[in-house]
Amino acid sequence: MAYKKKYAVLALVGVGVASGAAWWLQNKSGASDEATKPATTAAASAGPARAPAVEVAKVDTMTLVDETQAVGSLRSRQGVMLRPEVGGRVKQIFFNDGQRVRKGQVLVQFEDQLQQAQLSQAKAELSIAEANHKRNQELVTQNFISKRSLDESGAALEVSRAKLALADATLQRLKVLAPFDGITGLKQINVGDYLKDGADMVNLEDIDAVLVDFRLPERFQAKIRAGQKAQLTVDALPGRPFTAIVQAVDPLIEANGRSVGVRGCIDNRQQQLRPGMFARVNAVFGARENALVIPEEAIIPQGGRTFVVKVVAGDKPDVQVSERVAVKVGLRQPGKVEILEGLAAGDTVVTAGHQRLQKDGTAVRVVDLSQPGGGRPASGAGPAGAPAGGSASASSSTAVPAGPAPASAAAPSAAAKPVALSGPNPCLRGADAAR
């Protein structure tokens, strides 16, 4: 019994000690909070928090070219496979492979002995018919024959003339003529071959001007029109740009691909291009002078609208604050965006640090990362050249740089040494115009 009383006393003493220790610790922490509170208040009243740092860029101006990329194939302005209209044996060939020929030049002559004889017979019959008709005219005036005999001789004369024309036409069909100026391909016939009508003989190509056919998405059908220019390159001739003039736009939109066909013409009097080549085309819709551009990092899309954060002067001297501005964007190119409305040339926009600016009027500290120390207000255009890996769109724009082109870009054209061309551009006259 004495042991139970001893344990109860010890338990009460332990509870009392624990309660006293807890009360002492609680009073000590409260005193420390009261001691630190005046220090914190004093630090807050000593001055405002440091302004968030942001990166900026100036609104720049440049010339933008509105264009889109496509692929196409080259074809001759005029090209035809020559075939005979009638069957026969080849008598003579008047051209060589790859030879330039003129319109109306005889290329192939078939055996024509039979047709020559038929022509001579038709001429003889015509001569007899003319003599008979002339004699009948004289006899009718003297009333020796009836008017009916004169009519019959006149009809026989017309028949003889028709036979002569038929024989001459048959004879001419045994000659294959060049339908236009061009260059012959590789002949597929030899002297002595017997050809049926419609057999392939040789292809003839007019490549003084070369056509390029390409297709564009249907959304560009309102932009593309005849007379515009397109820049193109071919893989077979790297480093040699060519200019095509848009000749026609197909009025029909292809239902399968929802695309519109476009045909351009290229001056090829230097004979550098060949039909069938693969071409990469930049269709140029127009150019905009003094377009306002900013880095694409400055764009903030939100709720179907586009914003930028502009840095403006604050109420106090040497203080810059943020201002959110709604803008309207135009053309895009890698790393840059055209601004149509909302900004002016020389304005400063934030390119990095938007998340630190929750409301307008927030004081900012402009950081120029191009300087080693940083923290210096940007005096010129900011990091406008930092491209962001944006997705490539079907329509793009190209900035036209000022100043001379680099030596590496001018080297291919200098090495090519193009021959001076004379005469009008063949793309500016009709495809079937007489020469």
Side-chain angles (χ1 to χ4, degrees):
M1 191 68 179
Y3 289 105
K4 292 183 178 180
K5 291 182 179 180
K6 182 178 180 180
Y7 291 145
V9 172
L10 292 176
L12 291 176
V13 172
V15 171
V17 172
S19 300
W23 177 85
W24 180 79
L25 291 175
Q26 184 176 4
N27 290 339
K28 182 179 180 181
S29 62
S32 63
D33 290 343
E34 292 295 333
T36 57
K37 184 174 180 180
T40 304
T41 305
S45 60
R50 191 176 186 184
V54 295
E55 300 176 29
V56 298
K58 291 285 187 179
V59 179
D60 199 4
T61 60
M62 63 174 55
T63 300
L64 294 180
V65 179
D66 187 9
E67 62 182 9
T68 187
Q69 290 74 39
V71 294
S73 299
L74 301 185
R75 60 186 301 268
S76 304
R77 181 178 59 168
Q78 298 182 91
V80 64
M81 174 61 72
L82 297 180
R83 299 179 175 92
E85 298 183 43
V86 294
R89 191 173 302 279
V90 177
K91 181 180 180 181
Q92 286 180 295
I93 299 176
F94 298 99
F95 69 92
N96 296 319
D97 296 342
Q99 177 184 342
R100 179 175 289 276
V101 297
R102 307 296 297 178
K103 180 179 180 180
Q105 178 178 338
V106 179
L107 302 181
V108 180
Q109 174 67 60
F110 286 84
E111 290 287 352
D112 58 353
Q113 293 181 355
L114 177 61
Q115 286 74 17
Q116 288 284 5
Q118 292 176 348
L119 180 63
S120 299
Q121 180 183 1
K123 288 181 179 180
E125 292 177 353
L126 177 61
S127 178
I128 295 174
E130 289 177 345
N132 290 337
H133 186 63
K134 183 177 181 181
R135 186 179 304 110
N136 287 343
Q137 287 177 337
E138 294 176 356
L139 293 176
V140 166
T141 57
Q142 298 175 8
N143 294 325
F144 288 139
I145 61 174
S146 64
K147 186 71 168 51
R148 177 180 177 180
S149 299
L150 179 63
D151 294 339
E152 290 177 352
S153 65
L157 176 60
E158 293 300 325
V159 171
S160 298
R161 288 174 177 171
K163 288 183 178 180
L164 178 60
L166 177 61
D168 184 64
T170 304
L171 181 63
Q172 294 301 322
R173 292 174 70 182
L174 296 176
K175 296 179 180 180
V176 179
L177 309 180
F180 49 81
D181 295 353
I183 299 176
T184 59
L186 306 180
K187 62 177 181 288
Q188 305 179 29
I189 59 173
N190 295 293
V191 175
D193 285 344
Y194 182 85
L195 303 180
K196 295 183 179 180
D197 55 325
D200 293 347
M201 293 190 299
V202 67
N203 61 304
L204 180 63
E205 308 291 337
D206 176 13
I207 59 174
D208 285 345
V210 177
L211 303 180
V212 55
D213 291 342
F214 58 96
R215 307 195 70 85
L216 296 177
E218 60 181 350
R219 64 179 179 273
F220 296 115
Q221 58 88 20
K223 289 186 175 183
I224 193 71
R225 61 183 182 275
Q228 290 179 340
K229 293 185 178 181
Q231 305 297 325
L232 73 153
T233 58
V234 293
D235 293 349
L237 300 172
R240 299 186 186 179
F242 298 90
T243 301
I245 301 175
V246 176
Q247 284 192 334
V249 180
D250 194 343
L252 178 65
I253 301 293
E254 185 184 12
N256 294 331
R258 304 300 177 187
S259 59
V260 58
V262 183
R263 174 167 293 175
C265 181
I266 310 165
D267 186 355
N268 191 42
R269 285 174 288 175
Q270 294 182 354
Q271 308 294 308
Q272 293 181 335
L273 302 176
R274 291 291 184 269
M277 282 184 173
F278 174 79
R280 304 180 188 274
V281 185
N282 284 349
V284 181
F285 304 129
R288 298 185 183 178
E289 302 288 342
N290 299 322
L292 302 179
V293 294
I294 61 174
E296 61 182 6
E297 298 91 339
I299 297 296
I300 305 174
Q302 184 177 3
R305 302 177 64 187
T306 305
F307 298 87
V308 298
V309 177
K310 186 167 64 170
V311 175
V312 298
D315 296 336
K316 298 179 181 180
D318 298 332
V319 175
Q320 294 177 308
V321 297
S322 64
E323 179 184 351
R324 181 176 290 239
V325 178
V327 296
K328 180 179 179 181
V329 300
L331 301 178
R332 289 178 178 266
Q333 72 174 68
K336 291 188 179 295
V337 180
E338 181 190 16
I339 301 298
L340 301 178
E341 297 178 1
L343 294 176
D347 288 347
T348 303
V349 295
V350 176
T351 59
H354 309 88
Q355 68 277 8
R356 304 187 185 98
L357 309 176
Q358 300 298 328
K359 61 180 180 178
D360 288 353
T362 302
V364 297
R365 178 168 54 90
V366 177
V367 176
D368 187 359
L369 297 183
S370 63
Q371 299 298 325
R376 186 179 61 83
S379 58
S391 60
S393 59
S395 178
S396 63
S397 60
T398 302
V400 178
S408 59
S413 60
K417 295 182 180 179
V419 181
L421 300 177
S422 61
N425 187 340
C427 292
L428 302 181
R429 62 170 181 258
D432 299 327
R435 293 167 174 79

